[in-house]
Amino acid sequence: LRLAFASALAAAVGVGFSPTPEGEEDEDAAAAPGAVPVELEDAPGIALSAPFADLQREGNGCVVERPERRAMSLGQLRQLRDTVVSRCIAETWTDPFQKTFGLPNPSYGQNLKPEDVNLYHLNYYLICPACVPGGVRLEGLAEGDYAKGMAVTQRCRSYEGEAQGVLKSVERSPDGTVTATVEVSRGTFSDDSRCGEVFVGGVARGLPRRAWARKSWNFM
């Protein structure tokens, strides 16, 4: 357990995880046939951001193939502590989980203090979104009005928290569906049938038939 915990924490600060090799994509990660990019207007009042650029910069990580060898140095632990302290306060982290271990979470929606942050919070606020630097592609969404910078959300299982992000680009397919590329800021978007619809700009766009990342890191 401690090895897995250290491995996940190392991933959060750019240590001990490996990117998808250059030129390779995740399994089945190919653009929808005949998809055409759409030129989007900017959504008013919503700024695009790169909230994890400091964790994703070149040279800020390494590849350690075997999990049992992914220990953390004292300096890396300090970096993790500083990251949690600064982001938790500056970004006003709240407890995102409606349930824990199948029971209602009494802390749901309450502000977190840095000392209250656990691995589940870290996974939601940092590890998952930071590990998809190119964003995620949500394929098969409903047609409608889209604008660059629109807020994108999806509520999944109650113990996972709401996925959040910002719309980066859109492609339209011959079948009339949309593939949206989303810059993730919280949690994980999914095509799991147990998850809810994706909302773009507050409008329901359906459940994606596929959610995938062209470029991703992992700590497995």
Side-chain angles (χ1 to χ4, degrees):
L1 178 61
R2 282 181 292 180
L3 287 172
F5 183 72
S7 177
L9 296 186
V13 294
V15 179
F17 60 91
S18 57
T20 302
E22 194 67 33
E24 295 185 15
E25 295 182 346
D26 292 342
E27 185 179 357
D28 297 328
V36 178
V38 177
E39 187 172 342
L40 299 177
E41 299 290 334
D42 288 339
I46 300 177
L48 292 174
S49 62
F52 306 106
D54 57 325
L55 304 178
Q56 297 162 345
R57 64 180 181 270
E58 291 296 326
N60 195 34
C62 61
V63 177
V64 182
E65 296 294 345
R66 299 178 62 176
E68 65 271 23
R69 294 183 178 176
R70 295 176 188 171
M72 296 181 72
S73 69
L74 211 53
Q76 291 163 351
L77 284 169
R78 291 193 185 101
Q79 183 185 2
L80 173 65
R81 177 200 61 196
D82 294 344
T83 298
V84 170
V85 169
S86 62
R87 286 177 176 267
C88 179
I89 296 172
E91 299 173 7
T92 318
W93 288 4
T94 61
D95 196 321
F97 308 119
Q98 292 180 331
K99 291 185 178 181
T100 54
F101 304 105
L103 299 174
N105 178 14
S107 300
Y108 171 63
Q110 295 184 13
N111 287 353
L112 291 170
K113 298 177 182 178
E115 59 267 28
D116 297 329
V117 173
N118 59 39
L119 182 56
Y120 297 103
H121 299 133
L122 198 65
N123 190 57
Y124 174 80
Y125 280 105
L126 206 62
I127 298 175
C128 286
C131 285
V132 284
V136 297
R137 291 171 63 82
L138 305 178
E139 191 175 302
L141 299 183
E143 183 60 273
D145 294 328
Y146 290 84
K148 193 176 189 178
M150 278 182 166
V152 184
T153 61
Q154 183 186 31
R155 171 66 65 180
C156 205
R157 292 175 288 273
S158 59
Y159 56 84
E160 291 184 340
E162 181 183 67
Q164 301 176 18
V166 174
L167 184 66
K168 293 175 63 179
S169 64
V170 161
E171 297 172 4
R172 286 192 168 90
S173 301
D175 64 0
T177 61
V178 166
T179 296
T181 299
V182 179
E183 178 183 304
V184 183
S185 58
R186 300 284 185 267
T188 305
F189 287 91
S190 176
D191 51 21
D192 192 312
S193 60
R194 292 170 292 180
C195 294
E197 293 186 87
V198 169
F199 284 74
V200 181
V203 178
R205 309 289 183 170
L207 181 71
R209 63 170 172 258
R210 186 169 61 157
W212 53 276
R214 177 170 281 124
K215 180 180 181 182
S216 63
W217 278 273
N218 69 80
F219 55 93
M220 301 303 292

